[in-house]
Amino acid sequence: MIKPFEKPIYVTRPFLPPLEEYARGLEEIWENKWLTNNGPILKRFTQELRNFFESDNLSIFNNGTLALQIALQGMGISGEVITTPFTFVATTHALFWNKIRPVFVDIEPDYYTIDPDKVEAAITPWTTAILAVHVYGYPCKVNALADVARRHNLKLIYDAAHAFGVNIGARSIAHFGDLSMFSFHATKLFHTLEGGLLIFEEAGLKETFDYLKNFGFKNELEVVMPGTNAKMNEMQALMGLQIFKYLEEMIQKRANISEMYRHFLEDLPGIHLIPVLSPDISWNHGYMTIEVDEKEFGMSRDKLYEELKKYNIFTRRYFYPLICDYACYRNIAVKDPLTVARHAASRILTLPIYDGLELSTVETICKIIHNLQQNVVLRVVGKS
Ligand SMILES: Cc1ncc(COP(=O)(O)O)c(C=O)c1O
C-alpha cells in the first residue's frame, strides 16, 4: 500500500533562480529607479533573446495573450482564421478581441496539432490566416501548413506559447511561419513571472508592434495608433535574464523526468504516450501527456484524475473541454465534427513535470498509477 504524498505534487512549479541572485538584480533596479518603459535590464534581456533566436525581428510583452492580440492587429488579420479547438482559451480569445471569426478544425491524433488537410478544406473567401498551436511544445506539421498557407496566400501564425527552446533540425521553431508567439507565464518552462514574445519574419512589423504595446506613442508628442499597454517591466526582465542561464539544465532535468515516465508507463495497458518524436526535433519537455483508454485501463481519465488527488497528486486535464464547448464560444457554428479533438480531450491527462521534481517521486507516481490499474483488474477478477 503506497501512502499519499505528504505535500501536494502539482502538475508544475515555477523555476526560480537563487534568491541572492535575484536580490542582487533588484539592488540594481533600486539604484536605477527605472521600473518599466524599456529599462536597461529589459534591453539586456532583449539582446539575449536576439542572440538566442539569431533575429532582430522580435518584440517583448508583459504577457503572451496581449502579444498575440497585438500580433493579429498589427498584421491586419481580419475575417476568418482557421484554428484549433485543442488549446488554451487565450488562443481563441486573441482572435475574438480582434473581431476575427475563429473557424475550428480537427487535430491529428499523434501530437494533437492542427490537421493541415482539415485546414485546407475549411478555407473560404474570408479566410486570411491560419493560427496553429505547437501544443505542449509538440511541433505542428510545419511544412504541410506552410504549403497550404503559400498556395492560398494566407498568413501562418503560430501560438508557440509552450514551445520555447524547441528546435526543428538546426532551427528554432520560431522561424517557421510568419510569426510565433511565446508565453513566459510562470507555469511555462521558461518564464518571466508573466511575459510574452513575438518573433516574426517581416522586419517592418517591429515598429508597429512596439507602438501598439506602448499606447501608440512614436515620441513624446505623437500618438500614431490606438495602442494598448503591454510592456514588460524590469522585474520581469530580470527574472528572464537570470533564468535564461539555466535553460539547458532545466530542459535536461525535464528530459530525465519524461524518460522515467516513459520507462514506467509505456507498457501499461490503457495508458498511451505520444509516439517518440522524430530525431530532428529537439523538444523542451514542457509537459508530460498521457491518454487514458477507459476500456483498456479499466478506469476513466476523470476517475484516474480523482484517484490521484487522493494521493496528493494534482494532474490537469489539459485541454478539456475543447474551446468551442466553452459557454462564450458555443454559439459559433463548427462544421468539422472534431472527432480526433473530442477523443483526445476526453482522454488526455498531464502529469507533474518540473525542475526539482525528484525522479523517485516520478517513480512513485508511476507505481500509484500501476497499482490503481491493478486494483481494477483484481476487482474485475474477484467479481467473475
Ligand atoms: C497555448 C497558449 N496560448 C496562449 C497562452 C497565453 O499566454 P499568457 O499566459 O502568457 O498570457 C497560453 C498560456 O498560458 C497558452 O498555453
Side-chain angles (χ1 to χ4, degrees):
M1 173 70 188
I2 303 176
K3 282 203 215 123
F5 287 101
E6 267 173 32
K7 287 191 182 155
I9 308 290
Y10 295 113
V11 76
T12 190
R13 279 178 75 187
F15 176 85
L16 287 166
L19 187 55
E20 320 78 70
E21 240 174 76
Y22 196 70
R24 268 201 301 281
L26 288 178
E27 279 170 18
E28 186 187 336
I29 294 175
W30 256 243
E31 225 159 81
N32 293 338
K33 304 230 169 353
W34 193 340
L35 301 183
T36 185
N37 289 10
N38 206 18
I41 297 181
L42 180 64
K43 283 189 184 132
R44 292 212 301 269
F45 182 44
T46 307
Q47 192 50 49
E48 284 284 347
L49 291 174
R50 280 196 191 117
N51 299 343
F52 183 71
F53 287 105
E54 296 175 344
S55 172
D56 287 342
N57 299 342
L58 58 83
S59 191
I60 303 177
F61 295 81
N62 60 353
N63 65 61
T65 306
L66 280 170
L68 191 55
Q69 280 177 218
I70 286 175
L72 295 164
Q73 184 161 136
M75 293 169 82
I77 307 296
S78 62
E80 292 180 359
V81 168
I82 300 172
T83 190
T84 166
F86 191 79
T87 176
F88 183 64
V89 280
T91 315
T92 307
H93 287 346
L95 295 170
F96 186 86
W97 277 70
N98 279 287
K99 300 192 166 46
I100 297 165
R101 204 173 96 81
V103 175
F104 295 112
V105 299
D106 212 350
I107 55 174
E108 54 83 37
D110 285 344
Y111 302 108
Y112 315 112
T113 56
I114 201 162
D115 181 335
D117 292 336
K118 294 294 180 85
V119 170
E120 185 146 28
I123 294 170
T124 73
W126 296 277
T127 312
T128 56
I130 302 164
L131 176 53
V133 181
H134 300 301
V135 67
Y136 313 115
Y138 305 147
C140 289
K141 292 198 161 145
V142 288
N143 294 332
L145 287 173
D147 185 48
V148 176
R150 187 184 41 76
R151 283 189 286 105
H152 295 272
N153 197 22
L154 303 175
K155 292 287 181 203
L156 177 53
I157 299 171
Y158 284 110
D159 178 335
H162 303 166
F164 194 84
V166 176
N167 290 331
I168 303 177
R171 292 169 79 201
S172 159
I173 201 160
H175 300 307
F176 293 83
D178 294 290
L179 175 140
S180 300
M181 179 282 284
F182 295 88
S183 164
F184 297 160
H185 184 262
T187 52
K188 303 294 183 287
L189 156 85
F190 174 79
H191 76 94
T192 57
L193 311 166
E194 294 256 12
L197 171 71
L198 296 179
I199 309 259
F200 36 90
E201 292 306 298
E202 196 187 319
L205 285 171
K206 177 160 173 58
E207 195 173 55
T208 309
F209 295 152
D210 288 350
Y211 289 153
L212 282 173
K213 73 178 170 193
N214 188 27
F215 310 101
F217 274 113
K218 185 172 183 184
N219 54 44
E220 252 181 76
L221 298 178
E222 282 179 275
V223 174
V224 291
M225 53 186 78
T228 185
N229 181 3
K231 303 182 301 291
M232 177 174 278
N233 67 47
E234 289 289 272
M235 304 207 188
Q236 290 173 293
L238 177 64
M239 186 61 82
L241 204 53
Q242 296 199 347
I243 293 186
F244 211 76
K245 293 181 275 184
Y246 298 93
L247 183 65
E248 296 231 329
E249 192 183 319
M250 288 190 305
I251 293 179
Q252 188 50 52
K253 282 193 191 157
R254 284 167 177 260
N256 298 342
I257 294 171
S258 288
E259 203 182 307
M260 177 146 278
Y261 273 124
R262 186 171 280 279
H263 173 76
F264 282 109
L265 295 180
E266 73 183 341
D267 295 327
L268 185 60
I271 298 292
H272 297 273
L273 307 182
I274 55 155
V276 173
L277 285 156
S278 125
D280 67 328
I281 292 170
S282 65
W283 182 43
N284 63 8
H285 301 271
Y287 296 82
M288 179 65 217
T289 58
I290 60 170
E291 275 189 48
V292 184
D293 180 321
E294 182 172 355
K295 274 207 187 105
E296 273 182 64
F297 189 68
M299 183 185 281
S300 70
R301 181 273 313 269
D302 289 348
K303 179 86 173 127
L304 176 59
Y305 165 81
E306 292 299 338
E307 287 298 315
L308 288 171
K309 276 194 205 168
K310 294 180 188 163
Y311 287 89
N312 236 347
I313 304 165
F314 296 89
T315 60
R316 293 297 297 263
R317 289 168 289 185
Y318 289 141
F319 285 98
Y320 162 81
L322 296 182
I323 308 268
C324 49
D325 292 339
Y326 282 119
C328 63
Y329 292 118
R330 239 179 255 152
N331 58 346
I332 293 176
V334 183
K335 285 194 188 143
D336 192 311
L338 305 175
T339 316
V340 179
R342 291 200 179 285
H343 186 68
S346 68
R347 297 170 22 137
I348 198 92
L349 196 66
T350 54
L351 303 181
I353 185 164
Y354 51 84
D355 189 278
L357 180 65
E358 299 290 337
L359 290 178
S360 57
T361 305
V362 176
E363 189 176 346
T364 309
I365 294 171
C366 293
K367 277 191 186 147
I368 290 169
I369 297 174
H370 272 261
N371 280 5
L372 285 168
Q373 201 225 17
Q374 207 49 43
N375 292 344
V376 174
V377 173
L378 290 177
R379 267 207 308 278
V380 172
V381 173
K383 267 188 199 160
S384 62

